[in-house]
Amino acid sequence: MAAFSTKEVVDISSLFEIVSWMAKNGKKAEHSDGYGVLVFDEISKFEYKTTVPIYDDFRGRELVKQIHGKLGLIHARKASQGVPVGLQQLHPFHIRGRYLAHNGTITGADRSNAFQSDTYGFFSNVVDFEDFESLVNNVKRYISTHDFTGVNFLLVDEFEKALYVGCIYKKDVDYFTLHYKIDALGFYVYSEQMEDSLLEMENGEILKVVEGNIVEQGKVF
């Protein structure tokens, strides 16, 4: 998965190709259970989901060449064991203007939701926050009562035009460490080390990013 927050509108086709490569060739590949794209510019939203693997979706590849935005994410899915594979289960999920994609498995998560998803169970427990501190506290409370391999998340708030990034895991450091950069265009984060110059997020770290700048940082442990 990958996400971005930029100062100006940018082309997302290169981000699509990066996620496509990771899904096909990256760690624990293949992530073949479909994918989702979410992009905002100043006035509109683009959302696209399909159960076709991202690296095989030629229609999607051509479609995103026409899409530009300042905020968004792309998530290629590898379903957790026991979770259905279908369009309904694709990330990002949406609750009241907030969108969340997640990587990892949460043991004991509430899957009684309509999507039968551990991700949605997590999302519904942390989505109601008034500020950055309350989000961090929501995540702290949730992970204190649930076992997990990873609770890495990308959360987009369409009203704040903000990106929240969480890097939280219990094992497999190489797989779950998130990597990011801030350049002249803005902020980009990836689930793998796609460039030598990328910085590593700390385990337990949550970032808030607005218009390409990290504006708040917190830790859940």
Side-chain angles (χ1 to χ4, degrees), residues 5-9 42 70 182-187 211-213:
S5 168
T6 54
K7 301 172 178 65
E8 305 293 338
V9 171
E42 287 94 338
K70 295 179 63 177
I182 300 175
D183 61 17
L185 294 175
F187 176 94
E211 292 191 343
N213 296 306

Side-chain angles (χ1 to χ4, degrees), residues 26-127:
K27 296 179 176 68
K28 299 194 179 181
E30 298 175 344
H31 286 64
S32 59
D33 296 319
Y35 72 101
V37 180
L38 174 73
V39 180
F40 289 94
D41 62 17
E42 287 94 338
I43 59 173
S44 62
K45 175 184 74 172
F46 170 80
E47 191 169 8
Y48 177 80
K49 293 181 179 180
T50 177
T51 54
V52 178
I54 187 171
Y55 44 82
D56 285 340
D57 187 19
F58 303 108
R59 177 178 179 271
R61 177 171 281 106
E62 290 303 310
L63 191 61
V64 299
K65 290 178 181 177
Q66 307 169 44
I67 304 303
H68 297 73
K70 295 179 63 177
L71 174 66
L73 64 86
I74 304 176
H75 179 276
R77 184 170 185 243
K78 182 175 183 177
S80 297
Q81 187 174 5
V83 178
V85 176
L87 198 61
Q88 278 195 313
Q89 285 75 38
L90 294 177
H91 306 195
F93 292 105
H94 172 234
I95 301 177
R96 296 186 295 277
R98 288 170 171 159
Y99 300 78
L100 182 133
H102 158 246
N103 184 26
T105 300
I106 304 172
T107 306
D110 181 8
R111 294 183 180 176
S112 63
N113 53 77
F115 310 101
Q116 302 177 57
S117 167
D118 57 339
T119 297
Y120 192 86
F122 165 69
F123 188 22
S124 63
N125 274 270
V126 303
V127 67

